[in-house]
Amino acid sequence: MLDPAGEATRAAAARLGVSGVQRLRIGKAIQVDLEAADRATAEAQLQLLSDRLLANPVIEDWSLELSDAG
Amino acid sequence: MLDPAGEATRAAAARLGVSGVQRLRIGKAIQVDLEAADRATAEAQLQLLSDRLLANPVIEDWSLELSDAG
């Protein structure tokens, strides 16, 4: 994936004197608190939201981490 | 922190039929591969980059997770 903001930031880091940056990627992090009947329902709903609403699959990769709030 | 994009996305999720969203926050995730003499140096350099370059402390909170690549 292209990441022009990440590339520009890597160059700016070197100008700030931090020369050891090998790689710098800027992405989005989305935190969702979701009430659902069970874990499978929650996962299906989050897959739907990620595909249809949260990510643009043409230009973005995404991954999902699920944790139980109890 | 205000998060108008997160609020709008929460409303859009409900329109997509996902009604259980209690909270939805959109933020940035920045991944940096950094070569440094030791862990303390790496952490100091990342603190500097975060404060001066990566985050806008007026409108953004940030936190840092360090992991060794070996």
Side-chain angles (χ1 to χ4, degrees), chain A residues 9 12-13 16 18 20-35 45 48-49 52-54, chain B residues 9 12-13 16 18 20-35 48-49 52-54:
Chain A
T9 305
L16 264 182
V18 179
V21 176
Q22 310 291 308
R23 190 165 170 274
L24 192 155
R25 306 277 297 166
I26 301 182
K28 280 191 285 187
I30 302 175
Q31 189 177 3
V32 182
D33 293 357
L34 180 68
E35 184 106 5
Q45 290 185 330
L48 173 76
L49 291 182
R52 302 274 300 278
L53 192 62
L54 304 178
Chain B
T9 305
L16 264 183
V18 179
V21 177
Q22 310 292 306
R23 188 164 171 274
L24 193 155
R25 305 278 297 168
I26 300 182
K28 280 192 284 188
I30 302 174
Q31 189 177 2
V32 182
D33 293 356
L34 180 68
E35 184 107 4
L48 172 77
L49 292 182
R52 301 273 302 276
L53 193 62
L54 305 177

Side-chain angles (χ1 to χ4, degrees), chain B residues 54-66:
Chain B
L54 305 177
N56 176 349
V58 177
I59 56 167
E60 293 170 329
D61 278 331
W62 61 269
S63 67
L64 185 60
E65 269 174 50
L66 217 62

